[in-house]
Amino acid sequence: MPAFVSTLGSSTATSYISVAQADDYYLGSMLEANWSALTTAQKQTALMAATRNLEMLQYAGKRCTPSTNDTDAEQALQWPRSKATCRDIEAKCDMLPKEIIEATSYLALELHTTPPTVGTVESGTLGAVKRQQLGELSQEFYDVKEGSSTKVDASAPLILQKYPQLVDILGCWSDTSTGAGKVALRVRS
């Protein structure tokens, strides 16, 4: 397992946030006991898994460069960023928006509580496509489950399909298309 590194902007970072930041996020919440029951090693593993999944998304602005620990290397993760504003807060290379802290903390506990992560063979689904066929070009999709989110559709990244709450948590920091409400245009040639 890779080393747990949560240094902001580091070329070796494996987590957006530290265990202490996640502890602060859960402090006083209804889920504090669930998070506090985990060992430090379990928290670190969960935070790294959450970060890996959040790395699949696109974000507003640009990655900061160079890294904070090596001027010859790029930062390992997509955050911190610059050249983006969300709710009148400007992204800066020395800060992590509270929405990213919240998304990482939320997802870490969710992934620890209900493993495996999305998109794995063990989870039983690899996305929205259930079956494909080349001869006679057929494609079958999984059914929309009762109570499923209307925030995302089958074209959204798997992590958002499984955890649509992330759309609200990340808000305007996310540049990832959720597919919901998109208009399909056809061009005739």
Side-chain angles (χ1 to χ4, degrees):
M1 177 169 71
F4 181 81
V5 179
S6 62
T7 305
L8 190 64
S10 170
S11 64
T12 59
T14 55
S15 176
Y16 287 145
I17 65 172
S18 66
V19 169
Q21 287 173 295
D23 288 346
D24 287 346
Y25 171 78
Y26 282 110
L27 187 65
S29 77
M30 292 183 354
L31 297 172
E32 180 179 9
N34 298 28
W35 181 253
S36 296
L38 304 181
T39 66
T40 298
Q42 289 173 318
K43 290 176 182 180
Q44 290 175 340
T45 300
L47 289 169
M48 288 190 295
T51 299
R52 277 193 309 274
N53 278 276
L54 291 170
E55 279 286 292
M56 295 180 206
L57 304 179
Q58 295 176 3
Y59 297 99
K62 296 194 175 279
R63 279 173 41 153
C64 294
T65 189
S67 70
T68 55
N69 65 323
D70 184 350
T71 57
D72 293 329
E74 291 186 14
Q75 66 184 34
L77 304 173
Q78 291 194 61
W79 284 97
R81 299 180 78 75
S82 64
K83 301 189 187 229
T85 302
C86 179
R87 297 183 188 106
D88 295 327
I89 297 172
E90 185 179 338
K92 296 181 181 172
C93 294
D94 62 350
M95 61 87 75
L96 193 61
K98 69 177 182 62
E99 292 86 352
I100 303 303
I101 295 169
E102 184 177 343
T104 308
S105 300
Y106 162 78
L107 191 56
L109 186 56
E110 286 292 318
L111 292 174
H112 179 81
T113 305
T114 57
T117 60
V118 295
T120 62
V121 174
E122 297 84 14
S123 69
T125 60
L126 293 170
V129 178
K130 186 175 185 179
R131 183 181 64 82
Q132 296 189 54
Q133 179 180 344
L134 186 56
E136 298 299 318
L137 298 176
S138 169
Q139 198 171 38
E140 183 180 350
F141 297 91
Y142 288 103
D143 291 331
V144 176
K145 294 179 182 162
E146 183 75 25
S148 290
S149 172
T150 57
K151 292 177 198 250
V152 297
D153 68 14
S155 68
L158 292 174
I159 192 67
L160 294 180
Q161 291 178 41
K162 175 108 171 142
Y163 302 102
Q165 304 88 325
L166 289 171
V167 173
D168 291 330
I169 295 171
L170 292 169
C172 48
W173 292 116
S174 175
D175 257 0
T176 302
S177 172
T178 60
K182 289 195 300 187
V183 176
L185 300 175
R186 294 184 186 195
V187 178
R188 225 175 148 175
S189 54

